[in-house]
Amino acid sequence: MAHFAEQERREGDQCPFCRHLNSPPAYDTCEHISAFVWDGQAEALHKTQSVNNALKELLELVELAKDDDVDKLILEEEARRHPTRANLIEAVSGDFDLVETLQSLAYAKVGAGWSTGGMLGGFGYNVYVPKQEIVEALTAECQAVIDACSMKINTSISEADSLERRRPKTPVDWQLVTSGFWAEDIYHSGHIAYYLAKVGSRGWVMESVERNVELDGLTEEDIEEGRVNDDQLQAMWGMTLDEAQSVEYRKIVAVCTAATLDADAEYIAVVLYRAVCAAGGKVITEPDERRHSLLSGLQQD
């Protein structure tokens, strides 16, 4: 920019929207100019500086996210729910180019360009958007993704990582996330349900509820006639059949703090359930049928 100012020239090109001759070197520009490129180097102007900074921050988040990382889960859910945010994430997932991003998402057009001679000569062109409001909207969407990735999510799979201290002390509205059967092998399987509750304005907790499936379908008649295996006897030890069949094992398996204000129950349910599964939690392979849940209709594995 200083090089241009020293030359005191009015090199530039014409805006395709208002036909004004735009000359960044002379600081003579119209309201539509968004950036200029000189010898392949782009410099954002006006409100495009904000979206450029936000895109660079999003680029860093995308590069740091790993397959088993919570940020990756959040990015995938943001992309699934919001087409514009999906486009922004895609824009920074490859070889990020500001001008190409503005052309694809902000309806930007490039000028014919101009060149200067001499030792410091080169070629440049301006980038124009029809409305600066479009750039502002992209900045807001990009910032929303960044804010979503700032959510703090903890999972508790082993007893050593207990989150029971985060169990709500007062009554809350537990919503079913998903339920069904899980199986690691023929000796390790069962039924589990995941529930979600909101705590305060920006907090969420997820609880797992497990039961012993060995007693499913077992009747008093079966017991009287000796149709009981060792696993069933162990499950009933010291209890009546009704008591044993009603036993549930509850555990807080995930906590989200500092959630974005626009994050609804379905959004948080998807992210927390996937985070639990990615951390080694029990994955439901046979969902319960005819039971409404937050993940109804969504792929659950």
Side-chain angles (χ1 to χ4, degrees):
M1 200 72 161
H3 160 58
F4 289 126
E6 288 172 5
Q7 292 194 38
E8 295 183 353
R9 296 191 177 187
R10 288 185 53 82
E11 282 87 358
D13 52 31
Q14 197 171 55
C15 173
F17 300 109
C18 69
R19 316 313 298 177
H20 179 79
L21 179 64
N22 284 268
S23 179
Y27 302 98
D28 184 3
T29 59
C30 69
E31 62 181 309
H32 302 110
I33 194 167
S34 184
F36 77 91
V37 179
W38 185 257
D39 280 352
Q41 298 297 314
E43 180 169 337
L45 299 173
H46 309 311
K47 294 176 181 178
T48 305
Q49 293 177 344
S50 295
V51 73
N52 190 41
N53 292 335
L55 285 166
K56 289 180 179 178
E57 187 173 350
L58 180 58
L59 170 61
E60 185 175 347
L61 285 172
V62 170
E63 290 179 338
L64 291 175
K66 300 178 180 178
D67 290 342
D68 60 346
D69 191 73
V70 171
D71 279 353
K72 185 173 179 62
L73 301 180
I74 293 174
L75 289 171
E76 290 176 354
E77 186 60 14
E78 286 287 322
R80 186 185 73 82
R81 292 167 66 92
H82 305 283
T84 299
R85 296 178 192 178
N87 292 332
L88 287 166
I89 294 169
E90 182 180 1
V92 300
S93 296
D95 295 326
F96 170 62
D97 184 277
L98 176 62
V99 176
E100 290 181 0
T101 300
L102 292 174
Q103 287 178 300
S104 61
L105 300 182
Y107 313 104
K109 296 182 179 181
V110 298
W114 76 96
S115 61
T116 59
M119 295 181 61
L120 299 178
F123 175 78
Y125 60 88
N126 296 323
V127 183
Y128 305 92
V129 295
K131 293 182 179 179
Q132 291 293 334
E133 288 81 355
I134 301 174
V135 177
E136 289 181 309
L138 287 178
T139 304
E141 291 290 278
C142 196
Q143 189 60 52
V145 180
I146 295 169
D147 291 342
C149 289
S150 70
M151 294 190 297
K152 305 299 181 183
I153 295 176
N154 295 321
T155 57
S156 175
I157 306 306
S158 67
E159 293 301 324
D161 300 323
S162 177
L163 290 174
E164 284 301 313
R165 66 187 184 282
R166 305 300 297 273
R167 182 176 292 279
K169 301 293 191 297
T170 57
V172 292
D173 180 22
W174 290 101
Q175 299 183 67
L176 177 65
V177 174
T178 185
S179 66
F181 294 89
W182 62 273
E184 294 177 355
D185 51 51
I186 60 174
Y187 301 107
H188 299 86
S189 61
H191 184 277
I192 190 168
Y194 292 97
Y195 291 88
L196 182 72
K198 190 171 186 180
V199 182
S201 61
R202 301 182 64 186
W204 298 83
V205 293
M206 179 175 282
E207 175 188 58
S208 67
V209 181
E210 294 189 71
R211 62 177 176 81
N212 195 325
V213 297
E214 294 291 339
L215 303 178
D216 286 1
L218 188 68
T219 65
E220 293 289 354
E221 183 179 356
D222 294 327
I223 297 174
E224 293 172 0
E225 297 183 3
R227 296 192 295 270
V228 186
N229 60 40
D230 292 342
D231 291 334
Q232 292 170 330
L233 288 173
Q234 183 177 2
M236 289 190 299
W237 186 261
M239 294 180 287
T240 66
L241 178 60
D242 287 342
E243 290 172 340
Q245 287 177 329
S246 64
V247 169
E248 293 180 333
Y249 304 92
R250 296 177 176 270
K251 179 182 179 182
I252 299 299
V253 291
V255 170
C256 174
T257 57
T260 55
L261 295 177
D262 63 344
D264 58 20
E266 181 190 284
Y267 178 101
I268 297 295
V270 172
V271 172
L272 291 190
Y273 173 69
R274 291 187 62 190
V276 167
C277 294
K282 291 168 181 173
V283 180
I284 294 174
T285 55
E286 296 183 37
D288 290 332
E289 296 181 0
R290 299 184 300 278
R291 193 175 183 189
H292 178 72
S293 69
L294 291 170
L295 298 193
S296 295
L298 297 178
Q299 184 177 358
Q300 299 182 23
D301 56 4

